[in-house]
Amino acid sequence: RDVTVPSKLHKNNAVKNVSFDVRAGEIVCLAGIDGNGQTEFVSALTGLEKTSGGTITLCGKDITKSSIRERSLSGMSHIPEDRHKRGLILDFTVAENTVLQNYKDPRFSKNGILNKDAIEKYADEIIERFDVRPTDHTVKSRALSGGNQQKIIIGREVDNIETARKATGEPQLLIATQPTRGLDVGAIEFVHQALVKQRDEGNAVLLVSLELDEVMNVSDRIAVIYEGKIVGIVDAKDADENTLGLMMAGGEDNE
């Protein structure tokens, strides 16, 4: 509600009084051309940046000032825009990267000591389930293709929210920022199926994308952002490429 985020590049705000909901069992796409505030908005949503105004609630809980870990434990998972900078530690193995978020889980550590066997078994399950190639969990993540690096991140984040959903019975939030950027056709289809599956299982999905095909084919609702403001929210079934493209370019304001 009314989220405002300062810009690091200029004196104006990067995000200006943005308000919308993402409901359980739906995919909402935040659509916009790069540089219109979506990166800063997601950073504020996930705890990477501080807001200067507004509130963020998750399942009724105010998380505006919560830490990144507190947001994660509250039911938020994040597929970041930059998989190298935010998603993986490239010199860690595939196995090590699968537990970056949940290494404190009793399944994987005790008294601060990691259970290597349990982590490697878990990594093998992620590799098989999400078709990561090669299938060797000892390979360093920088040696994998972009598509397979993305599959590691998606596998980790999706499994985290599925585990939390089973444990708590509460819907979880998956934030996917430009999840198909730089991927081939097969990997793109895989990512889309993963997002739709989470929606169908009753979780909430916030997709951030500038690809019109992706925006229209995967989303239930579309919130268009331009110069840090939401200029319109439309049902995907009622949207067309021309109207969305115009809104994303600032040519039409439906707010």
Side-chain angles (χ1 to χ4, degrees):
R1 290 290 179 272
D2 300 319
V3 169
T4 298
V5 184
S7 172
K8 292 183 176 180
L9 301 177
H10 48 71
K11 293 182 180 180
N12 295 327
N13 291 319
V15 179
K16 306 165 186 174
N17 299 314
V18 164
S19 299
F20 65 90
D21 299 304
V22 185
R23 298 185 288 257
E26 75 168 349
I27 298 174
V28 173
C29 181
L30 184 63
I33 298 168
D34 272 348
N36 278 281
Q38 53 270 66
T39 297
E40 291 85 353
F41 177 77
V42 171
S43 293
L45 193 62
T46 56
L48 291 166
E49 299 285 350
K50 292 183 178 180
T51 62
S52 60
T55 57
I56 302 168
T57 58
L58 181 60
C59 292
K61 177 183 179 182
D62 188 339
I63 61 168
T64 310
K65 296 183 179 180
S66 298
S67 69
I68 295 171
R69 178 161 292 279
E70 287 170 340
R71 294 174 200 231
S72 174
L73 294 174
S74 296
M76 178 186 293
S77 285
H78 179 210
I79 300 168
E81 180 176 1
D82 189 332
R83 55 180 168 265
H84 290 171
K85 185 177 181 180
R86 301 289 190 192
L88 299 168
I89 299 176
L90 294 176
D91 286 324
F92 277 18
T93 66
V94 169
E96 290 166 336
N97 272 289
T98 60
V99 294
L100 284 183
Q101 185 171 329
N102 58 2
Y103 62 90
K104 290 187 177 182
D105 190 298
R107 294 175 294 169
F108 306 126
S109 64
K110 185 177 181 180
N111 299 323
I113 299 174
L114 295 175
N115 184 333
K116 184 178 179 181
D117 290 341
I119 291 171
E120 291 179 347
K121 181 181 178 182
Y122 174 73
D124 287 338
E125 293 171 356
I126 293 291
I127 287 168
E128 181 178 2
R129 180 181 172 193
F130 292 88
D131 193 30
V132 179
R133 309 288 178 85
T135 59
D136 183 355
H137 62 245
T138 67
V139 172
K140 289 189 175 181
S141 296
R142 71 167 59 253
L144 275 59
S145 68
N148 284 294
Q149 289 175 346
Q150 193 75 334
K151 287 179 180 180
I152 296 172
I153 298 168
I154 292 170
R156 178 183 71 212
E157 301 303 318
V158 165
D159 187 77
N160 284 340
I161 65 173
E162 289 180 346
T163 300
R165 181 70 188 268
K166 290 176 183 177
T168 65
E170 293 288 334
Q172 308 291 302
L173 171 64
L174 176 62
I175 302 167
T177 310
Q178 310 291 2
T180 59
R181 177 177 285 170
L183 304 187
D184 61 32
V185 174
I188 289 172
E189 181 63 23
F190 176 90
V191 172
H192 289 171
Q193 289 176 358
L195 297 180
V196 170
K197 183 173 185 290
Q198 290 312 304
R199 187 268 316 270
D200 291 347
E201 290 182 356
N203 292 313
V205 179
L206 175 62
L207 169 66
V208 181
S209 180
L210 53 77
E211 302 291 342
L212 280 176
D213 286 345
E214 182 169 75
V215 169
M216 296 185 63
N217 293 331
V218 180
S219 310
D220 296 301
R221 290 190 297 135
I222 303 164
V224 179
I225 189 168
Y226 177 73
E227 293 187 345
K229 295 181 178 181
I230 300 296
V231 297
I233 300 176
V234 298
D235 287 336
K237 66 179 184 297
D238 299 326
D240 64 78
E241 288 191 7
N242 289 336
T243 301
L244 284 177
L246 190 62
M247 292 171 67
M248 290 166 68
E252 181 175 325
D253 189 329
N254 287 347
E255 191 173 31

